[in-house]
Amino acid sequence: KNQVEQSPQSLIILEGKNCTLQCNYTVSPFSNLRWYKQDTGRGPVSLTIMTFSENTKSNGRYTATLDADTKQSSLHITASQLSDSASYICVVTPTSGTYKYIFGTGTRLKVLA
Amino acid sequence: DGGITQSPKYLFRKEGQNVTLSCEQNLNHDAMYWYRQDPGQGLRLIYYSQIVNDFQKGDIAEGYSVSREKKESFPLTVTSAQKNPTAFYLCASRGHTNEKLFFGSGTQLSVL
């Protein structure tokens, strides 16, 4: 069964600190893996996308990595800001051609001043 | 919100009542999706449409219905058959390239 699991479920850090969120998936084969940011009460917004052949992608203070051998991805946030407080969702797109996306349960990040 | 408008932001349903959630996009995207989001769970697919006048059931379609009469619009009706409708509903669309989903701002549905 295609699954995407994220850890930790929630995380609290102080402003200015770095953090890393994890995503483990069993989807195979897949065409790409995305990280989305979802503010409370809003829709998710895409942060990064990686194909199966890429192993890192950056978007400002956000850096995503992908290890296709171990089926793991991580999202590293550098120098966190209060506005980083949100849920971060890992999404894997299978190559089955049905346009069905597999969503992780998300990591809820809280950045404190 | 990437050109996708969902309304209303909050909706209350009485027992036995059907309610319709609106989703409009001006991105000229062919594919549109409806997802349900519950606390602690990943987004679950209700219905999706790859082209006008065509749609397919997702993983949790029971108690829901959709229509796709126009490319821009993909309304979702939550029928009285859906016994646990309280959730956050997200509409999304996807263009031809790179499979990126654009989401609306969501509708929170609650039962009175």
Side-chain angles (χ1 to χ4, degrees):
Chain A
K1 182 180 178 182
N2 287 334
Q3 287 186 312
V4 176
E5 297 183 350
Q6 294 185 241
S7 62
Q9 188 173 28
S10 61
L11 182 62
I12 300 174
I13 62 174
L14 294 177
E15 187 178 16
K17 299 296 185 181
N18 303 335
C19 67
T20 300
L21 314 180
Q22 300 291 342
C23 172
N24 295 336
Y25 60 92
T26 60
V27 183
S28 182
F30 73 98
S31 63
N32 60 63
L33 183 150
R34 286 189 183 272
W35 283 91
Y36 282 82
K37 177 185 179 186
Q38 184 179 21
D39 293 315
T40 301
R42 309 286 291 178
V45 175
S46 178
L47 289 175
T48 65
I49 176 175
M50 289 179 291
T51 66
F52 65 89
S53 61
E54 296 178 299
N55 53 28
T56 188
K57 187 67 69 75
S58 291
N59 178 5
R61 296 180 296 103
Y62 300 101
T63 299
T65 63
L66 174 64
D67 186 334
D69 292 332
T70 62
K71 293 186 171 56
Q72 294 181 326
S73 177
S74 65
L75 180 69
H76 185 75
I77 304 175
T78 304
S80 61
Q81 301 175 359
L82 298 178
S83 59
D84 292 331
S85 295
S87 289
Y88 292 85
I89 303 172
C90 177
V91 185
V92 181
T93 306
T95 54
S96 58
T98 60
Y99 304 111
K100 288 190 177 182
Y101 302 81
I102 312 299
F103 289 81
T105 56
T107 292
R108 186 175 300 176
L109 175 65
K110 179 71 173 177
V111 180
L112 300 178
Chain B
D1 295 319
I4 297 183
T5 302
Q6 288 188 242
S7 61
K9 181 65 176 175
Y10 301 96
L11 186 59
F12 297 91
R13 192 192 88 168
K14 296 179 181 179
E15 189 173 346
Q17 184 183 40
N18 294 350
V19 293
T20 297
L21 285 60
S22 171
C23 178
E24 303 279 334
Q25 55 102 356
N26 60 6
L27 301 168
N28 199 34
H29 287 170
D30 286 319
M32 297 187 74
Y33 302 77
W34 273 106
Y35 292 96
R36 171 176 171 146
Q37 188 174 36
D38 294 280
Q41 296 190 38
L43 273 67
R44 292 185 290 169
L45 182 64
I46 304 172
Y47 270 96
Y48 67 103
S49 168
Q50 296 186 45
I51 199 168
V52 175
N53 292 322
D54 184 57
F55 49 83
Q56 288 79 39
K57 293 182 179 180
D59 301 317
I60 56 167
E62 186 174 352
Y64 301 96
S65 66
V66 294
S67 63
R68 187 83 189 277
E69 298 177 358
K70 298 186 299 181
K71 188 175 187 177
E72 302 80 18
S73 180
F74 192 40
L76 173 73
T77 296
V78 184
T79 74
S80 57
Q82 172 51 245
K83 299 306 181 186
N84 184 25
T86 297
F88 190 57
Y89 291 85
L90 285 162
C91 179
S93 71
R94 180 184 59 80
H96 290 291
T97 59
N98 80 10
E99 301 173 1
K100 178 179 175 181
L101 285 176
F102 291 82
F103 286 89
S105 56
T107 293
Q108 176 64 50
L109 176 62
S110 303
V111 177
L112 290 176

